[in-house]
Amino acid sequence: MATAIYLEHYLDSIENLPCELQRNFTLMRDLDNRTEEKKGEIDKLAEEYVATVKKLASEQRVEHLQKIQNAYSKCKEFSDDKVQLAMQTYEMVDKHIRRLDADLARFENELKEKLEVSGYESPEARGLKKADSRGLREKRVSRGRGRKSSDDDSPRKKIKNSPDPSDALLPMQPSDVLDMPVDPNEPTYCLCHQVSYGEMIGCDNPDCPIEWFHFACVDLATKPKGKWFCPRCTQDRKKK
């Protein structure tokens, strides 16, 4: 019954996940197409500039270069939006995986407690008890040093020192799963030195040692317009 409840709740939680994933992937594909179109526009503008640069006046050159610069900025904006979507998609799936791990650990813990209360013995435990009985009979007929040896090697001693099969099945508590990192090899970002999650923004300083920051860590609620520099790079720019 408990299994059905956990399963029902989890299925309800992921009911909209396929639609959300499809929406994000569709948006990412659309951003890819728009980026490719903008790159084609940049190539065309660059070819026109190279072909006519000698005939253009100074103001016309500046205007033409500004068009190329604007196209590059738009292309970068599309790429940044795609990265944000990819991070949101990863976080969306990871959230459900972590919940599944927590539910499994919680369910196994409850099952272990019920088995202990009911006094249920697994076939393995019953087999160990039979072996224990045989060992006791052998120990009764042994004498002297043989008696001492049988005490040391008796199945009872082995049962006491061997791990409980249910403990081997349930080495993890629900809190351990919730606190467990998603991927120990995943790179860290931001001032907080944590993995990527939620909405993030990239510093426009190409030499920024951190590059990506969580919105909350840099006091942002929405993506700012124009170029954005992280607190460290902003401070360095002021010193210069």
Side-chain angles (χ1 to χ4, degrees):
M1 186 67 180
T3 308
I5 294 175
Y6 279 113
L7 181 60
E8 182 179 354
H9 288 174
Y10 186 75
L11 291 177
D12 288 341
S13 71
I14 63 173
E15 182 178 0
N16 296 325
L17 181 61
C19 295
E20 293 173 352
L21 291 177
Q22 183 178 7
R23 171 184 171 275
N24 281 12
F25 288 139
T26 301
L27 290 174
M28 291 169 66
R29 184 169 59 248
D30 179 61
L31 287 170
D32 268 338
N33 294 335
R34 295 167 70 179
T35 301
E36 290 300 321
E37 291 177 1
K38 191 60 65 175
K39 287 168 64 177
E41 180 183 337
I42 292 172
D43 291 340
K44 184 178 179 181
L45 288 172
E47 289 176 1
E48 291 178 358
Y49 181 78
V50 172
T52 60
V53 63
K54 295 181 180 180
K55 301 177 183 178
L56 295 176
S58 178
E59 295 180 357
Q60 291 177 323
R61 291 180 184 178
V62 172
E63 182 180 353
H64 206 100
L65 289 174
Q66 187 62 44
K67 289 181 180 179
I68 297 176
Q69 180 63 41
N70 292 339
Y72 267 117
S73 299
K74 201 67 178 177
C75 192
K76 184 178 182 301
E77 183 179 335
F78 291 154
S79 299
D80 290 343
D81 290 341
K82 181 184 174 183
V83 171
Q84 293 291 338
L85 272 174
M87 289 181 176
Q88 291 174 10
T89 304
Y90 175 89
E91 181 69 19
M92 188 187 307
V93 175
D94 179 68
K95 178 183 66 176
H96 291 288
I97 293 175
R98 289 172 69 85
R99 175 176 177 177
L100 178 60
D101 290 339
D103 284 347
L104 285 174
R106 194 179 297 113
F107 170 69
E108 290 176 352
N109 190 51
E110 292 177 1
L111 182 61
K112 177 184 176 182
E113 292 176 355
K114 289 180 180 180
L115 293 177
E116 291 175 350
V117 171
S118 63
Y120 172 79
E121 290 183 353
S122 65
E124 292 82 357
R126 287 196 294 269
L128 289 174
K129 280 196 172 183
K130 290 181 180 178
D132 183 37
S133 299
R134 288 196 300 269
L136 289 175
R137 286 196 297 269
E138 293 173 0
K139 188 167 63 175
R140 291 193 188 99
V141 299
S142 63
R143 303 175 64 181
R145 189 171 55 185
R147 177 185 299 274
K148 183 178 180 181
S149 175
S150 64
D151 290 343
D152 294 338
D153 298 333
S154 66
R156 177 179 296 278
K157 189 172 186 65
K158 293 180 181 178
I159 295 173
K160 182 178 180 182
N161 293 335
S162 63
D164 189 347
S166 60
D167 289 340
L169 177 65
L170 303 167
M172 188 177 298
Q173 298 297 327
S175 59
D176 297 333
V177 177
L178 293 173
D179 296 335
M180 182 176 60
V182 179
D183 184 353
N185 297 320
E186 187 173 355
T188 57
Y189 305 92
C190 193
L191 301 172
C192 62
H193 302 292
Q194 298 295 324
V195 298
S196 63
Y197 63 85
E199 290 189 288
M200 300 185 69
I201 185 170
C203 179
D204 282 306
N205 180 10
D207 298 325
C208 180
I210 301 177
E211 296 184 359
W212 290 97
F213 300 83
H214 304 109
F215 271 30
C217 295
V218 290
D219 298 326
L220 289 178
T222 58
K223 181 181 177 181
K225 295 182 179 180
K227 291 187 177 182
W228 180 85
F229 296 93
C230 70
R232 290 186 179 181
C233 293
T234 301
Q235 187 176 2
D236 292 341
R237 287 164 62 88
K238 289 181 178 179
K239 290 180 181 179
K240 294 178 180 180

